[in-house]
Amino acid sequence: MKPVFRVLLLSAVVFALTSCLSTEVELDLRNGNALILDLTYRMPIGLWEFGVFDDETPERAIPVSRRDAEETAVLYEDVTLVSYTLREEADRAVVHVVYRVESVSGLQGLWGRVAGSPLDLSFESGRLRLPLSSGGPDDGIDPQQRDLIEEVFDGEVFSVAIRTPEPITAMELPRIDGAEDTRGDDDRRIVWQAPMGALLSTETPAQIRIEWETTDQ
């Protein structure tokens, strides 16, 4: 089982020719000893059935079954699978997975590397760098594939919500066509979303940088 976000990127590209996928991520940093990574995958029933049709297969195309979630958690001593649910909405399978993480290194392992770059989180300095997509000529996607990915993932969305321990003081968000961000009345929460196709086919690396108040400020 690969790290959860790397799995998302690889699975989405692999199935760009046949199907579509939307993903919602919520990262709660308010408790440094119990970080929460909350993931929701929405995919056509057919894609779900194809990806997990054989419980005995060690590597499945869409590794978001309960067993996959459990296997991911046990890779790290400080990661616990809090909950796993699978439900059906119309013609879509909705998978909801929640992990509790007790260390920054555990979160880094769970998130995985994007373009060789790990998640960077420091509570002492109040900052987070969250890599989302590699982009660029080394991502293995040619121009024709980029066009196809955007077409196939038309209407699909990637969103990430981040809760910080203290009020947000600065942020840098990816510049992707169709992307939106909201903060509302909560100065400790940011939500960023973009068309899934645009994120997967971006030609430049996409990452989120956030800073928040610390006791030293």
Side-chain angles (χ1 to χ4, degrees):
M1 175 65 179
K2 302 178 181 66
V4 292
F5 194 72
R6 187 60 177 163
V7 164
L8 161 66
L9 295 179
L10 291 175
S11 299
V13 171
V14 165
F15 279 86
L17 293 175
T18 60
S19 199
C20 43
L21 174 74
S22 285
T23 303
E24 301 161 18
V25 177
E26 178 142 0
L27 180 57
D28 192 337
L29 307 176
R30 290 175 294 180
N31 184 343
N33 296 318
L35 309 171
I36 299 296
L37 179 60
D38 186 310
L39 302 160
T40 302
Y41 303 91
R42 301 177 187 274
M43 68 192 77
I45 292 293
L47 177 57
W48 163 259
E49 291 174 346
F50 181 82
V52 297
F53 68 96
D54 182 0
D55 287 339
E56 300 304 318
T57 302
E59 291 292 337
R60 287 173 295 285
I62 303 295
V64 288
S65 69
R66 178 182 293 275
R67 193 187 77 178
D68 292 313
E70 292 170 347
E71 290 178 348
T72 295
V74 299
L75 290 176
Y76 313 97
E77 294 182 357
D78 51 4
V79 173
T80 302
L81 176 63
V82 176
S83 65
Y84 174 97
T85 59
L86 168 64
R87 68 181 188 275
E88 187 174 331
E89 291 183 357
D91 60 347
R92 295 208 136 194
V94 180
V95 178
H96 183 211
V97 186
V98 180
Y99 296 99
R100 183 176 66 249
V101 190
E102 299 176 6
S103 72
V104 172
S105 61
L107 185 62
Q108 288 175 326
L110 196 59
W111 190 256
R113 289 173 175 263
V114 177
S117 179
L119 173 153
D120 182 23
L121 171 62
S122 171
F123 288 100
E124 292 76 13
S125 57
R127 71 170 189 271
L128 167 71
R129 185 181 63 80
L130 190 70
L132 299 178
S133 181
S134 58
D138 297 328
D139 62 6
I141 304 176
D142 62 36
Q144 290 76 22
Q145 290 173 325
R146 292 184 196 281
D147 291 341
L148 180 58
I149 288 173
E150 291 199 23
E151 179 181 347
V152 171
F153 283 88
D154 182 39
E156 302 299 322
V157 175
F158 173 85
S159 70
V160 55
I162 301 170
R163 294 183 180 273
T164 58
E166 299 296 336
I168 296 171
T169 58
M171 69 179 70
E172 178 184 330
L173 303 173
R175 297 181 178 180
I176 292 178
D177 289 343
E180 300 177 351
D181 63 272
T182 57
R183 290 182 63 176
D185 297 328
D186 189 345
D187 59 2
R188 303 184 186 198
R189 184 174 188 264
I190 175 69
V191 179
W192 181 86
Q193 70 174 36
M196 179 66 86
L199 175 63
L200 293 174
S201 62
T202 179
E203 297 186 31
T204 58
Q207 61 184 7
I208 292 176
R209 292 180 181 268
I210 294 179
E211 298 180 6
W212 58 87
E213 295 179 4
T214 66
T215 55
D216 296 332
Q217 292 178 331

